[in-house]
Amino acid sequence: MNELSEQLGQTEDLFNEFKIEIEGQKAEPQQHELMEQIDKWEYESIERIRQVANEVRQELSSYIITFVSDLDFEFKKLREQLIQCRKDEDFIDTDVRFFNEELKRLKDILNNPPTLKIQYDSTSLINKIYFKKEVLPLRGNSIDIHPNARWQQNGLTIAGGNGQGNGSHQLDDPLGLYVDNDQTIYVADSSNHRVMEWKWGAMIGQVVAGGNGPGSGTYQLSDPRDVIVDKDTDSLIISDYSNKRVVRWPRQNGTNGETIISNIHCIGLTMDENASFYVIDNENDEVRRYQRGESQGTVIAGGNGTGNRLDQLSDPQYVFVDRDHSVYVSDLGNHRVMKWLEGAKEGIVVAGGQGEGNDLTQLSHPRGVVVDQLGTVYVADVGNDRIMRWPKGATQGSVIIGGKGAGKQSNQLDGPFGLSFDRYGTLYVVDLGNYRVQKFNIDSNK
């Protein structure tokens, strides 16, 4: 009995000790051993945050160096123009306004880079921070364009404009174009069977593909209709229409092309961020997508014979692909622009479709097409010598450039064909009948 009583006493002492421990935890909860785990988590999280922040800083620094270098190149070209105007004493009030507007634009871009963003991921308890370089759709823009934005009505000739011909300062039936980040433009100069490069501010262009007469040799092109740049391979991708092929041509000192897609009556083409090509097959009234390395491709729009049903196209011309991989097609024979959502079996009319005409509800033989970040469609309305804007869901468009009859004045167009934005919302128009490329700066974005 005494032994059992002693054991009970020891147990009672343990109870008392535990009581003291409970009271202590109640008085000082911060001393609980679980708090050590939180302290450890806090330390490790802070160290991880510091590590991630440093990684993002380093990555962003490298992009900023490239971005600012590109901007500096553009600024130096602009400053050279200003100095030359002063030296020649050859300037008017519109020149002064142009220099001021361009300087303001460059300052805005420097302080608010349109393609560089810092984003936060708050899906976990501790926010993750990372740097994101925005990937723009080919021929797309990086700024938010207001639905009522206006463009200057007098275009600047940046390529050709010296009459029809095959000189290095001339073009002959220019069709599609591509605008690079440094505002170098590439033009499919179809009747000269070549692709021309015009650097920013240059008075003459340079042949960068073809130019050896029409033919099917690897060093030749025959009636090229469109051109884009594949940055991954530093090459031009050209729709070589009369040879029924798509050609890859090295951008640096290339003398020969390589056929990457055969037996396709190709007109317009583009590429998405996954390096998939989208090519208009005009003969079969369809758009085909070719993933890297594919030779057959997949029909993603049309392909159901010539017609005006929503699952058909009629003489399709040019194509634009947005971030969601929706495909926009200028459907020339139906005088409309069609949008095909990724995986859709039929399209949606997003511009025109009311028969050929010059009303604001109509188009006439549309060619080049681009789309901004709000889903507004811009289309080269060839038969009406104008560029039209159709907001998302609209039943009629508005004329933003041209529409003043066919002509060669700076506020006129004569058969607008290829169409492209640059990153800053500037519109570039291939003015077929005037054998030139016109640049229209954004005038008001509100």
Side-chain angles (χ1 to χ4, degrees):
M1 188 69 179
N2 287 338
E3 184 179 348
L4 190 59
S5 176
E6 184 177 346
Q7 289 178 2
L8 182 59
Q10 291 173 350
T11 301
E12 189 175 12
D13 289 341
L14 293 174
F15 266 71
N16 290 333
E17 289 174 6
F18 186 61
K19 179 177 180 297
I20 293 170
E21 187 176 348
I22 289 176
E23 294 297 331
Q25 292 288 354
K26 285 168 62 179
E28 297 186 61
Q30 297 298 324
Q31 300 303 315
H32 196 284
E33 65 180 27
L34 289 176
M35 291 294 180
E36 294 180 6
Q37 296 180 34
I38 295 175
D39 292 341
K40 180 182 178 184
W41 170 83
E42 179 184 30
Y43 173 79
E44 291 176 348
S45 297
I46 290 172
E47 287 301 305
R48 177 57 183 154
I49 288 170
R50 286 191 180 120
Q51 179 184 348
V52 172
N54 286 331
E55 289 172 357
V56 175
R57 284 189 190 100
Q58 291 175 9
E59 186 180 7
L60 180 57
S61 292
S62 65
Y63 277 112
I64 286 176
I65 290 170
T66 301
F67 166 76
V68 174
S69 296
D70 290 344
L71 197 67
D72 183 45
F73 174 81
E74 191 174 346
F75 170 70
K76 285 177 179 175
K77 290 287 186 182
L78 186 65
R79 188 167 180 271
E80 287 173 8
Q81 276 187 282
L82 186 147
I83 292 171
Q84 193 64 43
C85 281
R86 168 66 72 186
K87 182 179 178 181
D88 297 342
E89 295 187 354
D90 180 19
F91 55 90
I92 57 177
D93 59 341
T94 55
D95 293 319
V96 176
R97 186 164 64 250
F98 166 75
F99 286 125
N100 283 323
E101 288 173 352
E102 286 294 285
L103 182 61
K104 180 180 181 299
R105 180 177 67 83
L106 293 179
K107 284 183 177 179
D108 290 343
I109 293 168
L110 179 63
N111 295 323
N112 298 289
T115 58
L116 304 180
K117 299 187 189 314
I118 297 296
Q119 294 190 342
Y120 300 89
D121 181 355
S122 56
T123 55
S124 60
L125 181 58
I126 292 183
N127 287 348
K128 294 178 182 177
I129 183 172
Y130 55 93
F131 159 69
K132 180 179 179 182
K133 186 175 188 295
E134 191 171 9
V135 178
L136 302 179
L138 227 63
R139 300 189 175 100
N141 63 289
S142 61
I143 67 169
D144 291 327
I145 296 180
H146 192 276
N148 296 323
R150 296 192 304 271
W151 282 261
Q152 293 175 2
Q153 293 304 292
N154 293 309
L156 301 171
T157 301
I158 58 171
N162 297 299
Q164 180 181 16
N166 61 6
S168 58
H169 64 309
Q170 293 176 305
L171 297 168
D172 189 358
D173 293 335
L175 300 178
L177 87 161
Y178 174 88
V179 183
D180 209 353
N181 289 342
D182 63 359
Q183 297 186 345
T184 296
I185 66 169
Y186 297 87
V187 185
D189 190 14
S190 66
S191 291
N192 283 321
H193 312 289
R194 66 188 185 184
V195 172
M196 294 292 289
E197 174 193 77
W198 293 70
K199 293 190 179 296
W200 192 91
M203 300 303 292
I204 61 172
Q206 177 182 349
V207 179
V208 290
N212 298 303
S216 59
T218 59
Y219 59 98
Q220 292 176 303
L221 299 171
S222 185
D223 192 15
R225 297 295 180 93
D226 203 5
V227 58
I228 59 175
V229 171
D230 180 357
K231 294 293 182 68
D232 290 343
T233 60
D234 195 25
S235 59
L236 301 169
I237 308 298
I238 305 164
S239 61
D240 191 10
Y241 180 75
S242 292
N243 285 320
K244 298 183 69 172
R245 65 187 181 186
V246 176
V247 176
R248 182 190 306 281
W249 203 291
R251 194 152 58 138
Q252 306 298 327
N253 303 315
T255 56
N256 291 275
E258 169 199 2
T259 299
I260 57 174
I261 301 171
S262 301
N263 300 315
I264 182 168
H265 229 143
C266 49
I267 297 184
L269 53 80
T270 190
M271 185 171 65
D272 67 19
E273 78 282 4
N274 299 317
S276 294
F277 296 120
Y278 297 73
V279 185
I280 295 284
D281 185 347
N282 179 259
E283 189 174 41
N284 292 309
D285 297 295
E286 64 190 20
V287 183
R288 301 186 74 90
R289 180 182 63 213
Y290 295 82
Q291 295 179 334
R292 181 77 78 182
E294 278 188 341
S295 59
Q296 297 303 314
T298 304
V299 177
I300 57 168
N304 296 300
T306 302
N308 61 6
R309 296 197 315 254
L310 294 179
D311 66 341
Q312 292 179 307
L313 297 169
S314 177
D315 197 8
Q317 296 288 306
Y318 287 88
V319 59
F320 181 93
V321 177
D322 68 14
R323 286 185 180 85
D324 300 323
H325 299 149
S326 293
V327 174
Y328 297 77
V329 186
S330 53
D331 189 12
L332 182 140
N334 289 316
H335 309 288
R336 66 188 183 184
V337 175
M338 297 294 290
K339 176 182 179 180
W340 293 65
L341 298 170
E342 186 174 21
K345 298 300 183 184
E346 62 180 32
I348 306 162
V349 180
V350 292
Q354 303 296 318
E356 181 183 4
N358 61 4
D359 288 344
L360 295 180
T361 60
Q362 296 176 304
L363 296 170
S364 176
H365 301 96
R367 258 47 177 229
V369 59
V370 293
V371 183
D372 70 19
Q373 295 191 13
L374 295 179
T376 301
V377 175
Y378 302 78
V379 57
D381 189 12
V382 176
N384 292 314
D385 303 299
R386 66 190 183 182
I387 306 300
M388 292 197 72
R389 167 176 59 196
W390 292 69
K392 191 174 184 178
T395 55
Q396 71 175 38
S398 60
V399 180
I400 58 170
I401 294 169
K404 298 174 175 64
K408 61 182 179 181
Q409 300 302 315
S410 62
N411 65 346
Q412 290 180 301
L413 300 169
D414 186 359
F417 227 88
L419 189 64
S420 180
F421 278 118
D422 67 14
R423 291 180 295 173
Y424 315 121
T426 305
L427 274 169
Y428 296 74
V429 183
V430 174
D431 191 9
L432 172 68
N434 288 314
Y435 311 102
R436 67 186 181 183
V437 177
Q438 295 290 89
K439 172 183 175 181
F440 296 88
N441 292 311
I442 198 162
D443 192 33
S444 172
N445 193 18
K446 58 184 179 180

